[in-house]
Amino acid sequence: MIYTVTCNPSLDYRMELGQLKPGETNRADAVGLLAGGKGLNVSVVLHHLGMETTALGFVAGFVGDEIELRMEKSGCHCRFIHLEDGCSRINVKLRGTDETTELNAPGPDISAAAQDELLRQLTEMVPGDVLILAGSVPPSMPKTVYADWMERLRNAGLDIIVDATGDTLLQALPHRPFLVKPNHHELGDLFGVKIESREDAAAYGKKLLEQGARNVLVSMSSQGAVLCTEDGQVLVQDAASGTVVNDVGAGDSMIAGFMTGWIQTHDYSKALHLGAAAGAASAFSENLATMEEIQAVQKILPLPQKM
């Protein structure tokens, strides 16, 4: 089973506007509601790719009920912990002609009892399971929580993927995550540099290997992606050609595609190729990519090359 953890999921309310005019009444041309959160996105795309997945995390109130309902309708298994107090957040995405403005709420406080319950769920996993820890940590939880969980699970025989930023990611590295996936901006922020080329991405990706990551996948927008592997390979993947419609969830889709490819083939090149196709297909779509959309991109996407 592939488990995803989203500590602070949301209901994303998307509004399409011709032009956003601050201080005035704006009327939307179209609206949409989606369950949001990095781990939830990964689960949805995994399901689209035919993989069994279970979404874990915390939900609260009527918004939490709606998040769970929408995830179940998407075909994903859910084992959310329902909080007694508060309400899951509603995030508003205002998409104008030239740019998108996001209004993100903080979300409910996560009680110590709820955190203990999630840890209990994690300790029930069995060797061979995959655990994907994705997204930011709510203020009510310790910033070290991913690292703390990995320490508790160090002998569980799991492949753990960490998609986080800053100290949350750095603290997880000594616990040997199977994969980390910063984008080139996030990778540069970790070292106080600007990543401008694939060579830069490979050099600093290798530094994350030295700090404990087993594999490092760096997404680079129009420059494609760079993968540094635990067996010493550096693979580069060109970006797919197409029109970006919505980049929300593209990185999460890349993780879903990569892990699907890896589980099915245990071939880094094939995993990277499927990951890049999934990420691009979601970017070219209004919503998270379907199997058909991913396969269509994969057919025209060049194969990765060794650096």
Side-chain angles (χ1 to χ4, degrees):
M1 178 61 70
I2 306 175
Y3 295 90
T4 65
V5 174
T6 309
C7 292
N8 202 9
S10 65
L11 190 62
D12 288 351
Y13 188 31
R14 297 181 180 176
M15 306 181 73
E16 302 287 344
L17 305 169
Q19 183 177 359
L20 177 61
K21 300 177 181 178
E24 299 183 23
T25 298
N26 291 264
R27 301 190 185 279
D29 299 319
V31 298
L33 279 173
L34 295 170
K38 295 182 70 64
L40 303 191
N41 294 339
V42 175
S43 277
V44 169
V45 179
L46 283 169
H47 175 70
H48 289 173
L49 288 168
M51 306 298 288
E52 284 290 315
T53 177
T54 297
L56 307 177
F58 307 101
V59 294
F62 75 98
V63 177
D65 293 340
E66 184 67 19
I67 291 170
E68 185 168 37
L69 177 63
R70 288 176 177 271
M71 286 299 294
E72 289 174 345
K73 283 185 175 180
S74 74
C76 299
H77 303 298
C78 299
R79 288 179 59 195
F80 294 127
I81 295 167
H82 289 256
L83 305 175
E84 295 182 1
D85 300 315
C87 190
S88 293
R89 57 188 180 151
I90 298 176
N91 292 340
V92 181
K93 318 291 184 182
L94 305 175
R95 295 176 58 183
T97 304
D98 300 320
E99 59 186 7
T100 298
T101 300
E102 300 189 12
L103 306 175
N104 291 343
D109 289 340
I110 314 300
S111 67
Q115 294 179 46
D116 290 343
E117 176 62 17
L118 181 56
L119 178 58
R120 185 193 63 77
Q121 290 180 336
L122 299 182
T123 57
E124 291 178 346
M125 295 178 186
V126 299
D129 284 345
V130 174
L131 174 60
I132 300 174
L133 306 175
S136 59
V137 177
S140 55
M141 298 179 70
K143 296 300 182 185
T144 59
V145 68
Y146 286 175
D148 296 341
W149 287 341
M150 294 174 74
E151 171 63 21
R152 288 290 299 272
L153 299 170
R154 65 184 183 279
N155 297 319
L158 309 177
D159 279 337
I160 301 179
I161 293 84
V162 178
D163 184 14
T165 60
D167 289 342
T168 302
L169 175 58
L170 291 175
Q171 291 159 357
L173 295 177
H175 301 282
R176 303 285 291 155
F178 173 76
L179 179 74
V180 298
K181 196 217 72 63
N183 62 39
H184 61 295
H185 300 298
E186 294 164 346
L187 180 61
D189 289 344
L190 292 175
F191 296 98
V193 299
K194 189 173 183 179
I195 304 296
E196 296 183 321
S197 67
R198 292 172 168 181
E199 289 75 18
D200 292 340
Y204 284 95
K206 289 177 181 178
K207 290 183 181 293
L208 296 186
L209 294 180
E210 294 169 0
Q211 294 182 39
R214 292 169 55 192
N215 301 286
V216 179
L217 175 57
V218 184
S219 55
M220 301 188 68
S221 188
S222 62
Q223 292 193 64
V226 174
L227 176 67
C228 302
T229 72
E230 63 181 327
D231 63 4
Q233 298 183 69
V234 177
L235 300 174
V236 295
Q237 171 68 64
D238 288 341
S241 298
T243 301
V244 175
V245 175
N246 175 30
D247 60 2
V248 175
D252 310 323
S253 300
M254 176 177 278
I255 290 176
F258 182 92
M259 290 310 301
T260 298
W262 175 254
I263 291 168
Q264 291 176 341
T265 69
H266 283 266
D267 183 298
Y268 283 117
S269 181
K270 293 178 180 178
L272 176 58
H273 193 242
L274 182 55
S282 283
F284 299 159
S285 173
E286 286 287 347
N287 297 307
L288 297 172
T290 63
M291 170 80 86
E292 292 75 18
E293 289 170 331
I294 294 169
Q295 289 176 336
V297 173
Q298 193 176 21
K299 288 179 181 178
I300 62 173
L301 187 66
L303 293 172
Q305 302 293 320
K306 290 187 177 180
M307 181 177 284

